[in-house]
Amino acid sequence: MTVQAIPDNPYFPGIYRRTADNACVVAVAPRSFMSVPEVRAVLSEVLATQPHRFVFTVLHSGEGLQDDTISDEVVATRKFHRMQSSEGPVESLLAERIHLTLPDAAVLSMTDDIKDLGGDSLLCLELSEAIADIWDVEIEPVDVFRVNSLAALAADIEAGR
């Protein structure tokens, strides 16, 4: 396992390694808040790799960027962000709606949750209202915030139809 430092960028220090299938396993420590889709976009540009090829974690203050931070064992046991494209009409429309709240370069995954997106009570309220308008399904804003992933939110929408 050869671990390298992510080249200088104004957003975060980080380390990465390539896997046998040329995916990137990455750990980053943002200097200020960045949503997961924003981190994914920066990584894609800096490492010249397609966003779906990343498995990464965002480290917070107090966590170190050491080689073993991205070992196979740690990746298997900690929450790492994995890219998952939308599937089906509900996931696709939900992703389109959420993408309206993100910067243009952001790369959204159905494994992201509202907290990954920098979600707050206002975003949860907007999504709750959009879900009611688009699919005629009532999901409370607090339930939007608590969902584990956008794929799970889409499943809740489908179940409520």
Side-chain angles (χ1 to χ4, degrees):
M1 173 174 80
T2 304
V3 175
Q4 300 175 343
I6 293 176
D8 289 334
N9 69 77
Y11 305 104
F12 47 72
I15 56 175
Y16 76 101
R17 67 180 170 89
R18 299 235 181 230
T19 62
D21 66 350
N22 208 30
C24 284
V25 178
V26 182
V28 298
R31 293 184 173 97
S32 61
F33 177 79
M34 291 179 74
S35 70
V36 169
E38 291 170 317
V39 171
R40 213 178 263 116
V42 170
L43 287 172
S44 180
E45 182 178 325
V46 170
L47 297 177
T49 301
Q50 293 296 316
H52 71 277
R53 304 294 295 161
F54 291 112
V55 176
F56 71 96
T57 187
V58 177
L59 301 177
H60 304 284
S61 61
E63 296 181 276
L65 289 168
Q66 295 130 7
D67 290 4
D68 64 349
T69 305
I70 55 175
S71 69
D72 289 337
E73 296 79 27
V74 172
V75 171
T77 59
R78 287 189 53 196
K79 180 185 178 190
F80 272 69
H81 298 275
R82 291 171 171 83
M83 185 71 186
Q84 177 185 330
S85 298
S86 56
E87 298 177 8
V90 173
E91 283 190 10
S92 295
L93 193 54
L94 180 62
E96 284 178 30
R97 173 58 186 85
I98 291 170
H99 214 286
L100 296 174
T101 67
L102 300 173
D104 289 339
V107 180
L108 186 67
S109 170
M110 295 312 290
T111 58
D112 296 336
D113 64 26
I114 296 303
K115 294 170 278 307
D116 293 337
L117 305 176
D120 56 13
S121 58
L122 181 59
L123 176 60
C124 292
L125 180 61
E126 288 174 2
L127 283 177
S128 177
E129 290 173 355
I131 291 166
D133 289 345
I134 296 168
W135 292 285
D136 198 27
V137 173
E138 297 294 327
I139 298 180
E140 294 296 321
V142 69
D143 294 327
V144 170
F145 187 77
R146 289 182 181 155
V147 74
N148 291 331
S149 68
L150 298 179
L153 180 57
D156 289 349
I157 293 168
E158 293 217 25
R161 292 171 75 184

